[in-house]
Amino acid sequence: MIRLDKVCRLFQVGDQEVRALDDVSMVIENGDYLSIMGPSGSGKSTLLNVIGLLDRPTSGTYTLDDRETTALNDDELAHTRARRIGFIFQSFHLVSRMTAFENVELPLVLAGVAPAERKPRVKKLLDDLSLTDRGHHRPDQLSGGQRQRVAIARAMVMQPTVLLADEPTGNLDHASGAEVLAAIEQLNARGITLIVVTHDNEVGDRAHRHIRMRDGKVVDDFAGKRT
Amino acid sequence: MIRLDKVCRLFQVGDQEVRALDDVSMVIENGDYLSIMGPSGSGKSTLLNVIGLLDRPTSGTYTLDDRETTALNDDELAHTRARRIGFIFQSFHLVSRMTAFENVELPLVLAGVAPAERKPRVKKLLDDLSLTDRGHHRPDQLSGGQRQRVAIARAMVMQPTVLLADEPTGNLDHASGAEVLAAIEQLNARGITLIVVTHDNEVGDRAHRHIRMRDGKVVDDFAGKRT
Ligand SMILES: Nc1ncnc2c1ncn2[C@@H]1O[C@H](COP(=O)(O)OP(=O)(O)OP(=O)(O)O)[C@@H](O)[C@H]1O
Ligand SMILES: Nc1ncnc2c1ncn2[C@@H]1O[C@H](COP(=O)(O)OP(=O)(O)OP(=O)(O)O)[C@@H](O)[C@H]1O
Ligand SMILES: [Mg+2]
Ligand SMILES: [Mg+2]
């Protein structure tokens, strides 16, 4: 379970203070499927980064399965993150000197999974996302949407307990986007908590619960399929 | 006028050959407003890179206002590009150690425009794209959509004769996207040739002429507003 209590995240730029998250409180149960929408700059990525243990609140608390994360040191954060959280970044963050296959395989390599087990797992994910012929391309040899799908595959390959997707279909045509959504929703159907930040209403509407943000605040939080 | 004649662009990856552009021919008149749509990996960015003189055809010719570009050397290409073409990249390519303001100002600095003239021009563009309070933020201190708008402002600041936009609204909510489209369409209204690659049908429909690509080929090319 994810519990945020009065979380604030302030950024300082020169003498300007930016309230990227302003007093955010919420509870997310295991296996929930949330969408987060709102204007550009409203705090969506910052919220995801805090939930994903990539960033710490300035104030307030974040409890992940009864562990108070704000009390953990950086090593403990990194360890929890690697074991439990899959993150699809808005700007992908692929390793430029590795191929698509190696990028997706990397979390499994770092976790000590044997080649005989990890190779077919990576291959299956690439096939599911129509990247079969692009496995040996490096990121600079891929289209924007292909890079996005590699980032998605990498986030899924460890079967994390929480999958955080920051604009996963932003660079994709309708058909590729549908493929991606089917894949991550299948993970949710198996019990993985799924949080999707999106600007696309059609994508956001598929979630079971809908969060809207504005100026660092959660201004709307309602459950139920809208269509 | 832009004229492509049987343009091919092949990429070699190991022993695999990718036909990113496959026998593309088209004529674009000065002041035209085109959208280019198609599946992920169909060749849209590659087509834009060739038109924008960032990449050369493997075969075929590209004539830009009666100059055969395939005969130009790299310096001449760079010179033509700097003077005439504004490019909004799918992955932004901002200078990470410069502020948003400095990123937008950079083309004017390189062109030798005096501070007294370039400062207000940059400020106006930042205001038009709702970036007024973010001018002194560096790219890593901006949201994804804010970075996208900085990339857009930079492409517009030199008043290029051709503006090439690769998925300019991919990271933007509806309102920010509308702001961007209004700004670039205003340039088109003043005679600038505008080519927009997009996955969003609502955005693509606004163009006066619609190109569809599939597997490196142009499979559709029709004029007129669809709605
Ligand atoms: N440098 C390269 N080396 C090898 N293959 C490449 C290279 N650049 C692009 N490709 C391949 O060429 C094809 C077209 O790429 P392009 O980037 O033009 O697609 P796109 O239509 O812009 O896709 P998207 O909608 O995903 O951005 C893709 O299949 C891609 O893998
Ligand atoms: N490192 C930072 N330093 C200063 N300000 C920051 C930093 N990171 C983000 N911000 C600011 O915090 C606000 C929220 O940023 P965030 O990336 O969470 O927005 P977002 O909702 O994801 O936007 P988008 O839809 O454009 O991706 C923005 O106004 C941004 O400029
Ligand atoms: Mg964001
Ligand atoms: Mg592209």
Side-chain angles (χ1 to χ4, degrees):
Chain A
M1 183 212 270
I2 289 167
R3 164 176 237 113
L4 297 167
D5 215 359
K6 297 183 166 304
V7 163
C8 289
R9 179 64 172 104
L10 305 182
F11 290 110
Q12 198 71 32
V13 180
D15 56 4
Q16 179 197 18
E17 184 187 78
V18 180
R19 292 195 150 263
L21 294 179
D22 192 355
D23 203 27
V24 172
S25 298
M26 59 170 60
V27 172
I28 301 169
E29 306 287 351
N30 290 345
D32 270 4
Y33 177 6
L34 272 72
S35 64
I36 302 176
M37 301 189 70
S40 175
S42 56
K44 306 178 298 296
S45 294
T46 305
L47 177 58
L48 224 60
N49 289 340
V50 167
I51 292 174
L53 302 176
L54 289 161
D55 195 13
R56 291 174 182 274
T58 309
S59 64
T61 57
Y62 167 27
T63 309
L64 177 62
D65 286 340
D66 305 322
R67 295 186 79 189
E68 176 38 66
T69 65
T70 39
L72 302 177
N73 64 37
D74 283 355
D75 278 351
E76 292 167 317
L77 273 193
H79 183 65
T80 308
R81 203 164 58 227
R83 269 193 12 251
R84 320 213 38 204
I85 294 169
F87 210 116
I88 301 162
F89 295 93
Q90 191 170 3
S91 54
F92 315 156
H93 294 317
L94 300 179
V95 178
S96 53
R97 66 179 189 285
M98 288 186 167
T99 65
F101 191 98
E102 291 164 345
N103 264 283
V104 177
E105 194 183 24
L106 185 58
L108 297 173
V109 173
L110 296 174
V113 177
E117 184 189 335
R118 69 184 193 236
K119 300 286 182 191
R121 266 168 81 170
V122 173
K123 181 170 186 324
K124 167 104 180 37
L125 266 173
L126 292 180
D127 290 348
D128 288 348
L129 296 174
S130 302
L131 291 168
T132 312
D133 302 334
R134 292 290 178 272
H136 48 289
H137 286 228
R138 292 185 317 271
D140 66 308
Q141 295 171 318
L142 294 173
S143 79
Q146 289 164 348
R147 283 175 208 154
Q148 186 156 36
R149 282 176 276 154
V150 173
I152 290 161
R154 179 183 61 184
M156 294 170 63
V157 79
M158 290 279 280
Q159 304 263 344
T161 56
V162 182
L163 182 61
L164 305 174
D166 201 342
E167 321 243 13
T169 61
N171 280 285
L172 300 178
D173 57 282
H174 196 75
S176 312
E179 235 168 29
V180 160
L181 293 170
I184 62 178
E185 287 174 354
Q186 194 170 68
L187 288 186
N188 175 246
R190 285 191 245 141
I192 288 171
T193 305
L194 177 58
I195 305 175
V196 177
V197 167
T198 184
H199 282 304
D200 188 333
N201 277 310
E202 278 194 42
V203 173
D205 279 355
R206 297 166 70 120
H208 303 158
R209 178 177 163 197
H210 314 281
I211 305 281
R212 287 209 70 88
M213 295 190 66
R214 176 182 295 283
D215 298 324
K217 288 189 167 299
V218 171
V219 297
D220 218 351
D221 183 347
F222 60 99
K225 288 212 165 293
R226 291 205 275 225
T227 39
Chain B
M1 181 213 272
I2 289 167
R3 161 176 239 114
L4 297 167
D5 214 359
K6 298 183 167 302
V7 163
C8 290
R9 179 63 171 103
L10 305 181
F11 290 110
Q12 199 70 34
V13 180
D15 57 3
Q16 179 196 18
E17 185 186 77
V18 180
R19 291 194 150 265
L21 294 178
D22 191 358
D23 204 26
V24 172
S25 299
M26 60 170 60
V27 173
I28 301 169
E29 305 287 351
N30 290 345
D32 270 4
Y33 177 5
L34 271 73
S35 65
I36 302 177
M37 301 189 71
S40 175
S42 55
K44 307 179 297 296
S45 294
T46 305
L47 177 58
L48 224 60
N49 289 341
V50 167
I51 292 173
L53 302 176
L54 290 162
D55 193 13
R56 292 173 181 275
T58 310
S59 63
T61 57
Y62 167 28
T63 309
L64 177 62
D65 286 340
D66 305 322
R67 295 186 79 190
E68 175 39 64
T69 66
T70 39
L72 302 177
N73 64 37
D74 285 354
D75 279 350
E76 291 165 316
L77 272 194
H79 184 65
T80 309
R81 202 164 59 226
R83 271 193 10 253
R84 322 214 35 207
I85 293 169
F87 210 116
I88 300 162
F89 294 95
Q90 190 169 6
S91 53
F92 315 157
H93 295 317
L94 300 178
V95 178
S96 52
R97 67 178 187 285
M98 289 184 167
T99 66
F101 191 99
E102 291 164 345
N103 263 282
V104 177
E105 195 184 22
L106 185 58
L108 297 174
V109 172
L110 296 174
V113 177
E117 184 190 334
R118 67 183 194 236
K119 300 286 184 193
R121 265 169 83 172
V122 173
K123 182 171 184 326
K124 166 103 180 41
L125 265 173
L126 292 180
D127 290 349
D128 287 350
L129 296 175
S130 303
L131 291 169
T132 312
D133 301 333
R134 293 289 179 273
H136 49 289
H137 286 228
R138 290 185 320 271
D140 65 309
Q141 297 171 317
L142 294 172
S143 79
Q146 289 164 349
R147 284 175 207 151
Q148 186 156 36
R149 282 176 275 153
V150 173
I152 290 161
R154 179 183 61 184
M156 293 170 62
V157 80
M158 290 279 281
Q159 305 263 346
T161 56
V162 182
L163 181 61
L164 306 174
D166 201 342
E167 319 243 15
T169 62
N171 280 286
L172 300 178
D173 57 282
H174 196 74
S176 312
E179 236 168 27
V180 160
L181 294 170
I184 61 178
E185 288 175 353
Q186 194 170 66
L187 287 187
N188 175 246
R190 286 191 245 142
I192 288 170
T193 305
L194 176 59
I195 305 177
V196 177
V197 167
T198 184
H199 281 303
D200 188 332
N201 278 309
E202 278 193 40
V203 173
D205 279 355
R206 296 165 69 118
H208 303 159
R209 177 177 164 197
H210 313 282
I211 305 280
R212 286 208 72 89
M213 296 190 66
R214 175 182 295 284
D215 298 325
K217 288 189 168 296
V218 171
V219 297
D220 219 350
D221 183 347
F222 60 98
K225 288 214 165 291
R226 291 206 274 223
T227 40

